[in-house]
Amino acid sequence: MKRYLPPALLLFVFSITSAQDESLTNMPEEDFVYLKDSTLLFSSDFTAKRGFIKTNFFQLNGDKIPFEQVKFYNIDGDYRANFNASILPRIETGYYNVFEGKSYQSNSSSKKFYFSRAPFGDLQSLKYNTLLEVLSTPNPKIDQTELAQIQETLGLGKRKQKKVFIMLGAGLGTFIIGGTLMDSENRNARLVGLSLAGAGLVTCVASIMVKKPARFHLAAVRQYNKFYLD
């Protein structure tokens, strides 16, 4: 990275350990760019130009900073992460920051969430297993009762996820059975098949309406973060 930045720039280089320092948990809301080599540049060290898809960053001499080297940036309060070729906005701030992205499958899309240890930790998927590991770690600011409450919130999300899978599986199975019976030459069988197909469809739709596990995962992170508010 040194070959891209002239010595005249003021560089702030943090090791992995120093990036986890408590004093940096809540970074000042000022413009900065944090690079994947742990270089931190403040507004006096670079210029930014907003594009239609992403923001481009330049050295003071006009040379472009390769965007693939950017890990996080904050421009006019717009805090984002560059992760797996996606630009993710930060939606939750605290000991753990949360970022929101989209997952595309076929012709549909769904929200996907990631979290990182503030200020510049690596992003991880906001899932039950990863959260349980980090949010269950003993912490002097959080007593065991409060940790248990956070774990209970995560548990609710896991149970909701299981409920969704069961409902969706039952709905699809019922719909398939109903569809098979509807092809029967027997009128009564066709009527039964129509009823089963309708019930299966309703069950599938109902499973979509169940609160998504991510809502409980976000709630657990918020519960944890509140102990680090100024």
Side-chain angles (χ1 to χ4, degrees):
M1 186 59 209
K2 289 182 179 179
R3 61 193 177 95
Y4 294 107
L5 302 176
L9 293 180
L10 178 61
L11 302 181
F12 295 82
V13 181
F14 294 87
S15 67
I16 296 298
T17 302
S18 65
Q20 303 302 317
D21 190 271
E22 288 290 337
S23 64
L24 294 178
T25 296
N26 293 309
M27 284 290 298
E29 291 297 319
E30 61 181 281
D31 292 356
F32 67 80
V33 177
Y34 184 79
L35 305 179
K36 293 179 181 178
D37 68 354
S38 299
T39 299
L40 178 60
L41 307 175
F42 286 108
S43 55
S44 59
D45 305 321
F46 68 89
T47 59
K49 183 178 181 181
R50 291 181 181 274
F52 180 73
I53 298 177
K54 68 178 187 291
T55 299
N56 295 306
F57 302 99
F58 302 86
Q59 302 176 29
L60 296 183
N61 65 2
D63 290 343
K64 188 174 182 179
I65 299 174
F67 192 79
E68 60 269 17
Q69 295 184 12
V70 174
K71 186 174 183 180
F72 298 101
Y73 66 86
N74 183 58
I75 303 296
D76 297 329
D78 184 19
Y79 194 123
R80 294 178 180 261
N82 177 25
F83 182 69
N84 288 346
S86 296
I87 304 170
L88 313 177
R90 184 181 65 178
I91 62 170
E92 193 72 30
T93 306
Y95 191 90
Y96 289 106
N97 290 329
V98 179
F99 299 84
E100 180 182 317
K102 285 189 176 182
S103 176
Y104 295 93
Q105 296 179 345
S106 299
N107 295 322
S108 62
S109 65
S110 60
K111 292 181 180 180
K112 193 167 184 178
F113 300 93
Y114 304 88
F115 74 100
S116 72
R117 167 70 169 89
F120 305 125
D122 292 336
L123 270 68
Q124 304 179 68
S125 293
L126 193 76
K127 295 181 178 179
Y128 174 82
N129 290 335
T130 50
L131 281 176
L132 183 64
E133 180 179 354
V134 299
L135 299 187
S136 300
T137 303
N139 192 308
K141 286 194 175 186
I142 309 176
D143 63 32
Q144 289 301 313
T145 301
E146 291 158 342
L147 276 177
Q149 292 174 351
I150 293 171
Q151 292 169 26
E152 175 59 22
T153 300
L154 285 176
L156 284 173
K158 186 175 184 178
R159 291 193 289 275
K160 288 292 184 182
Q161 187 172 37
K162 184 178 180 180
K163 182 178 180 180
V164 168
F165 287 151
I166 291 175
M167 290 179 64
L168 186 59
L172 288 174
T174 303
F175 183 82
I176 291 171
I177 293 172
T180 301
L181 290 175
M182 287 173 65
D183 289 334
S184 173
E185 295 182 359
N186 185 286
R187 181 175 181 277
N188 290 332
R190 291 199 300 271
L191 290 175
V192 172
L194 180 62
S195 298
L196 288 175
L201 183 60
V202 169
T203 303
C204 290
V205 172
S207 71
I208 298 174
M209 304 302 292
V210 174
K211 289 183 179 179
K212 297 297 183 290
R215 295 184 60 175
F216 295 93
H217 299 159
L218 284 171
V221 172
R222 291 184 181 119
Q223 284 177 268
Y224 196 93
N225 280 344
K226 73 179 183 180
F227 295 101
Y228 291 87
L229 296 177
D230 295 334

